[in-house]
């Protein structure tokens, strides 16, 4: 019995018993996987999968038990490799991150650039996704970590580490009536105009819809996108009032857009890094967490992820506090 054989049967199960897809996922040949499966079942003395003709049909009861233990063995093998890499202070590796377009575009670039200075041979793969897809990619093992935001409870599926808190902003073109109100915006003001926002605003349980429903109002969603830059583009095209994360507002936007504060209208959001439980944390993952959220204690993070401690995270800072620290760090002192 080998780790390769165990990896293949897990890949088959995860691919819905499709050997061709499993082979693609583990970069093997279909014939190679079939041969290893036959050898493993011969050693075990029973079938892991039942057959229908030349196709796999179902997982046998004994196979369910084998797969459960195979996953545990492969998990610990990965932990041993990670531990060895950390002890060798190895700077190589591959890091895959699932996150939203907003985080990928406006939050991560500086952190990733600084991470690459310490780990120049590290391959970083950013996979921007809609919010509904991020955690599923993480749970399936297709990415190493997820960065996602909520306006309520922490995301499920792993250890959720709070990074920072942020507000939403409304954006309108120069000359728009809302830009001339001369007073704080109210939900009733937003209800008078079509809105351009994130795809999540279409969900019945979205915090945007809940805020409107509390006043017995319904938002008029004219256009949605997962990409904050596209939201701003369609606001400029005249489709409606934009509602987007404050991180997505850049100084250059002021040339064409007016940014309006709506802190008291919609719930504050928290961005989280979601990590796998009972894992040996690679050094570059711990450093990325610190680069995005400096309040995180790396030693505590390692203990929690390894399952040796319960999480007691410090209160996450506001995004505005993080950016003000960055400005102070890069602003040269007067001579």
């Amino acid at each position: 019995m080998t780790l390769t054989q165990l990896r293949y049967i897990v890949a088959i199960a995860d691919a819905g018993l499709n050997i061709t897809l499993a082979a693609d996922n583990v970069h093997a040949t279909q014939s190679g996987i079939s041969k290893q499966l036959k050898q493993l079942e011969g050693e075990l003395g029973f079938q892991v999968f039942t057959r229908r003709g030349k196709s796999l049909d179902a997982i046998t009861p004994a196979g369910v038990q084998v797969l459960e233990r195979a996953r545990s063995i492969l998990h610990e093998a990965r932990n041993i490799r990670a531990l060895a890499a950390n002890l060798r202070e190895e700077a190589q590796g591959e890091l895959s991150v699932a996150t939203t377009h907003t985080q990928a575009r406006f939050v991560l670039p500086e952190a990733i650039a600084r991470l690459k200075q310490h780990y120049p041979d590290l391959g970083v793969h950013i996979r921007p996704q809609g919010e509904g897809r991020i955690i599923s990619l993480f749970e399936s093992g297709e990415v190493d970590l997820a960065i996602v935001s909520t306006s309520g409870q922490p995301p499920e599926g792993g250890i959720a580490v709070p990074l920072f808190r942020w507000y939403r902003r409304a954006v309108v073109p120069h000359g728009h009536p809302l830009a001339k109100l001369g007073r704080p915006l109210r939900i009733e003001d937003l209800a008078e105009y079509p809105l351009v926002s994130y795809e999540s605003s279409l969900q019945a349980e979205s915090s945007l819809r809940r805020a409107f429903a509390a006043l017995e109002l319904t938002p008029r969603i004219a256009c949605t996108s997962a990409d904050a830059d596209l939201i701003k583009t369609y606001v400029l095209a005249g489709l409606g009032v934009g509602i987007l994360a404050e991180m997505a507002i850049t100084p250059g936007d002021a040339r064409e857009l007016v940014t309006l504060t709506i802190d008291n209208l919609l719930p504050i959001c928290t961005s989280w890094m979601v990590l796998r439980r009972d894992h040996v944390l690679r050094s570059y993952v711990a450093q990325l967490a610190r680069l995005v959220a400096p309040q995180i204690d790396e030693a505590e993070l390692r203990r929690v992820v390894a399952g040796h401690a319960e999480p007691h995270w410090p209160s996450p800072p506001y995004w505005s506090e993080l950016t003000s620290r960055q400005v102070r760090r890069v602003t040269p002192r007067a001579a």
Side-chain angles (χ1 to χ4, degrees):
M1 186 183 305
T2 66
L3 286 176
T4 297
Q5 290 172 336
L6 298 182
R7 187 162 65 97
Y8 284 175
I9 63 170
V10 168
I12 292 170
D14 290 344
L17 308 189
N18 185 323
I19 292 184
T20 301
L21 178 58
D24 289 340
N25 291 340
V26 296
H27 309 293
T29 64
Q30 181 175 344
S31 60
I33 284 190
S34 297
K35 179 180 179 181
Q36 291 297 322
L37 172 60
K38 184 177 180 180
Q39 290 178 353
L40 176 61
E41 290 180 326
E43 180 178 349
L44 295 175
F46 55 78
Q47 288 187 330
V48 177
F49 306 102
T50 60
R51 274 74 167 172
R52 178 177 294 177
K54 294 184 178 180
S55 300
L56 301 182
D57 183 52
I59 303 172
T60 66
V64 170
Q65 298 182 57
V66 171
L67 283 164
E68 180 182 353
R69 287 160 176 77
R71 291 184 190 277
S72 297
I73 292 168
L74 293 172
H75 171 77
E76 287 306 320
R78 286 191 293 268
N79 278 342
I80 292 171
R81 293 189 189 99
L83 176 62
N86 287 342
L87 292 174
R88 293 194 304 267
E89 298 184 352
E90 188 175 290
Q92 296 179 334
E94 300 290 328
L95 176 61
S96 182
V97 181
T99 188
T100 64
H101 288 75
T102 295
Q103 302 281 350
R105 166 73 173 81
F106 299 100
V107 174
L108 290 179
E110 180 180 350
I112 296 297
R114 293 172 62 192
L115 183 69
K116 288 285 288 182
Q117 292 175 0
H118 292 276
Y119 298 93
D121 296 325
L122 175 66
V124 181
H125 312 284
I126 307 297
R127 298 185 61 176
Q129 302 287 328
E131 291 183 359
R133 175 78 173 131
I134 294 171
I135 294 299
S136 63
L137 280 176
F138 173 75
E139 291 179 333
S140 70
E142 295 180 56
V143 295
D144 300 303
L145 62 89
I147 297 178
V148 67
S149 297
T150 69
S151 60
Q153 295 300 311
E156 299 179 350
I159 295 174
V161 184
L163 302 176
F164 57 88
R165 291 173 287 177
W166 53 272
Y167 290 102
R168 279 163 278 194
R169 296 284 184 261
V171 292
V172 294
H174 286 283
H176 192 280
L178 291 183
K180 305 174 184 178
L181 277 181
R183 60 169 173 78
L185 283 181
R186 299 192 294 258
I187 289 289
E188 293 87 344
D189 300 320
L190 295 176
E192 294 181 8
Y193 296 91
L195 303 180
V196 184
S197 191
Y198 295 110
E199 293 173 346
S200 58
S201 62
L202 295 174
Q203 300 172 5
E205 68 276 12
S206 76
S207 57
L208 176 67
R209 289 187 177 273
R210 291 199 307 268
F212 275 72
L215 297 175
E216 298 183 347
L217 297 171
T218 302
R220 291 189 287 151
I221 308 296
C223 181
T224 65
S225 175
D227 190 326
D229 285 326
L230 285 179
I231 291 174
K232 289 183 279 188
T233 297
Y234 284 97
V235 168
L236 288 172
L239 270 70
V241 176
I243 306 292
L244 70 170
E246 64 175 305
M247 302 89 74
I249 306 296
T250 68
D253 291 330
R255 291 192 296 268
E256 298 178 300
L257 294 169
V258 177
T259 301
L260 305 172
T261 300
I262 53 174
D263 294 358
N264 296 326
L265 304 187
L266 300 174
I268 192 169
C269 297
T270 301
S271 288
W272 309 82
M273 178 178 287
V274 186
L275 301 168
R276 288 191 175 80
R277 300 180 187 277
D278 302 322
H279 263 59
V280 174
L281 197 66
R282 287 299 302 267
S283 297
Y284 48 72
V285 175
Q287 185 160 348
L288 177 61
R290 285 270 299 151
L291 288 170
V292 177
Q295 79 278 2
I296 293 174
D297 181 82
E298 184 173 328
E300 180 186 10
L301 180 64
R302 290 182 182 278
R303 289 194 297 270
V304 171
V305 172
H308 299 152
E310 292 297 318
H312 298 286
W313 311 119
S315 179
Y318 293 96
W319 174 251
S320 57
E321 295 174 340
L322 286 178
T323 53
S324 65
R325 293 174 195 169
Q326 292 170 359
V327 169
R328 288 197 297 270
R329 187 173 62 243
V330 301
T331 300
R333 296 181 179 180

